[in-house]
Amino acid sequence: MKLFEFQAKELFEQAEIPVPNRRIIENIFDIEDAVGQVGLPCVLKAQVLEGGRGKAGLIQFVSELDEATEKADKIFRARNMPNLLVEEAINIEKELYVSITADPLSGSAMIMACAEGGIDIEEIARTMPDRIIRTYVDISEGLLLYQARSLLYELGIDQELIGQGIKVLINLYKVFREHEAELVEINPLMITNEGTFIAGDGKISIDDNALFRHPQFEMTSAYFENEAQYEAAQEGIPYLQFEGDIGLMCAGAGLTNTVFDLINDYGGSVANYLEFGGPNYHKAVKAMKIMMMNDIKVMLIVTFGTIARADVMAKGIVEAIKELKPTFPIVTAIRGTGEEEAHVLLRSVGLEPLTDTEEAVLKAIALSGGVKQ
């Protein structure tokens, strides 16, 4: 579960990581009061769970109240969002990047840091990866003082700021562990002209499996781009949204990757994807309902069931078709345990069961209006 910036900064503040003075507002009518409390100049920051906000015009610097009102209204109109952050402007001397995540290979926590933070960190990571410093932390020991100090020296931090920097890193690691996060990130971690560290932005992603231990973070529709994603999350069904034509229900990561590549190689495009395998193979009605919340031209269902039996999947698909009455064509390639019975079930609702995945992909592309390249 990804937290909004204002939530991340609340956790930072609780952990004694310096953050700017700020106010969160829910509508344009609160902008005057918020600016009065924060002061001018200030920064308006859209609270959306996406990167590149600055480049998208969703972060605006303002120096007058009329300008703040105008730009806040523009941001609210540009995005359907519950909150806007009004934050004091900081006199920045230098911007750093620092994050902590889990390293699956070593089983350690990995701290990544760069002396050049800000909006271009992704480009730096892509073109100059040697500038990204990595430090690995033994979970059983925690971040040690010498590790934090060494990292700051590698970043070129002045001696008089080392003590402050160590405290920020130790407390950031505390946030990472206490909230069972998959990622904590400060970008930029600002060094001000006055010689202090301040977290200019914050990202925190909490492990979904640990949310029951953190009831203060309730998963609502505000955390998702659309209702389909929210419904899938509520059911515990992996779901991804794209911008193509074919709705893809598939079982297993390897098979899904193969089918996705075939669709693209043959000139088709995926509108959305839903994981129909694992514990979800008996949720056909709910799965199809979620898929139908997006505008798709054809649905492609490709599975290979052993434990997740083909006949059970087919029975669910038949029930879903009878209940939901989809208006788009459906192409199936359902293989595995109980395959013969599955094909009988599919034919009972007018579907032609296919046994070749590539053939099914080509048929779905043709029905979506695409052509083989």
Side-chain angles (χ1 to χ4, degrees):
M1 177 182 182
K2 295 180 181 178
L3 301 187
F4 290 103
E5 177 191 0
F6 78 92
Q7 294 175 307
K9 285 183 173 174
E10 287 173 0
L11 296 186
F12 291 163
E13 192 168 46
Q14 292 170 16
E16 300 184 358
I17 297 172
V19 293
N21 182 24
R22 66 211 180 279
R23 294 293 182 273
I24 193 76
I25 65 174
E26 297 180 356
N27 56 67
I28 190 63
F29 304 108
D30 296 328
I31 186 67
E32 183 174 350
D33 183 58
V35 170
Q37 295 182 60
V38 170
L40 290 168
C42 64
V43 184
L44 311 178
K45 309 177 82 174
Q47 295 303 283
V48 292
L49 298 174
E50 61 184 71
R53 290 180 301 166
K55 294 180 179 179
L58 299 178
I59 297 178
Q60 294 288 336
F61 178 88
V62 297
S63 55
E64 297 179 356
L65 179 57
D66 289 345
E67 182 186 14
T69 302
E70 178 185 344
K71 289 187 175 180
D73 183 59
K74 186 176 180 180
I75 294 173
F76 270 118
R77 291 178 183 275
R79 284 290 191 278
N80 179 23
M81 60 182 188
N83 303 106
L84 177 72
L85 188 64
V86 182
E87 191 170 83
E88 69 172 315
I90 303 296
N91 296 317
I92 305 171
E93 179 179 309
K94 186 176 180 60
E95 293 185 340
L96 311 173
Y97 170 88
V98 62
S99 70
I100 306 176
T101 189
D103 177 55
L105 293 179
S106 64
S108 305
M110 178 174 65
I111 302 178
M112 293 189 293
C114 182
E116 302 169 64
I119 62 175
D120 294 322
I121 186 63
E122 290 86 357
E123 185 65 16
I124 291 172
R126 186 181 69 84
T127 60
M128 295 171 284
D130 56 301
R131 296 192 182 184
I132 306 294
I133 301 167
R134 290 174 172 80
T135 296
Y136 295 88
V137 179
D138 188 326
I139 296 292
S140 64
E141 295 182 342
L143 178 60
L144 303 177
L145 290 177
Y146 85 88
Q147 291 178 301
R149 184 180 295 108
S150 176
L151 179 62
L152 292 165
Y153 278 127
E154 284 192 74
L155 290 173
I157 303 302
D158 293 340
Q159 178 64 40
E160 59 269 22
L161 296 177
I162 292 294
Q164 284 187 53
I166 289 175
K167 185 177 180 181
V168 168
L169 292 177
I170 294 294
N171 288 340
L172 188 63
Y173 183 79
K174 179 180 178 182
V175 171
F176 173 73
R177 292 291 288 139
E178 288 189 354
H179 294 90
E180 299 180 271
E182 295 177 339
L183 170 73
V184 295
E185 176 185 285
I186 302 177
N187 183 37
L189 174 58
M190 303 180 293
I191 299 177
T192 70
N193 292 340
E194 296 75 28
T196 59
F197 284 93
I198 292 183
D201 194 359
K203 291 182 181 178
I204 297 178
S205 181
I206 296 175
D207 185 348
D208 288 345
N209 296 313
L211 282 175
F212 72 96
R213 287 191 289 267
H214 305 278
Q216 69 271 35
F217 303 119
E218 181 182 359
M219 187 177 291
T220 67
S221 58
Y223 292 89
F224 299 88
E225 293 181 10
N226 54 56
E227 196 65 22
Q229 292 179 346
Y230 177 57
E231 289 284 336
Q234 291 290 94
E235 286 290 328
I237 301 175
Y239 176 88
L240 295 174
Q241 187 85 41
F242 302 102
E243 297 180 352
D245 299 321
I246 300 172
L248 177 61
M249 287 174 59
C250 209
L255 180 60
T256 299
N257 286 334
T258 300
V259 175
F260 199 100
D261 287 345
L262 285 171
I263 291 172
N264 282 281
D265 285 346
Y266 285 132
S269 59
V270 176
N272 53 358
Y273 155 70
L274 184 143
E275 171 56 58
F276 192 42
N280 304 311
Y281 75 97
H282 60 284
K283 297 181 179 180
V285 175
K286 187 65 177 181
M288 191 173 293
K289 183 178 179 181
I290 292 171
M291 295 293 283
M292 291 173 66
M293 295 172 75
N294 194 30
D295 184 21
I296 61 178
K297 294 181 179 179
V298 58
M299 179 180 291
L300 174 60
I301 305 174
V302 181
T303 70
F304 187 89
T306 50
I307 296 174
R309 289 167 40 184
D311 55 343
V312 176
M313 290 181 174
K315 182 179 179 181
I317 292 167
V318 169
E319 291 175 355
I321 291 172
K322 290 180 178 179
E323 179 177 332
L324 301 174
K325 297 178 174 56
T327 58
F328 46 74
I330 298 175
V331 179
T332 64
I334 297 178
R335 306 292 308 278
T337 304
E339 180 179 323
E340 295 81 3
E341 176 64 20
H343 290 179
V344 171
L345 288 166
L346 293 172
R347 289 191 182 98
S348 72
V349 288
L351 298 182
E352 178 191 355
L354 302 176
T355 58
D356 184 278
T357 298
E358 193 165 357
E359 180 185 357
V361 167
L362 290 171
K363 183 175 180 179
I365 292 173
L367 288 170
S368 71
V371 295
K372 180 178 177 180
Q373 293 180 337

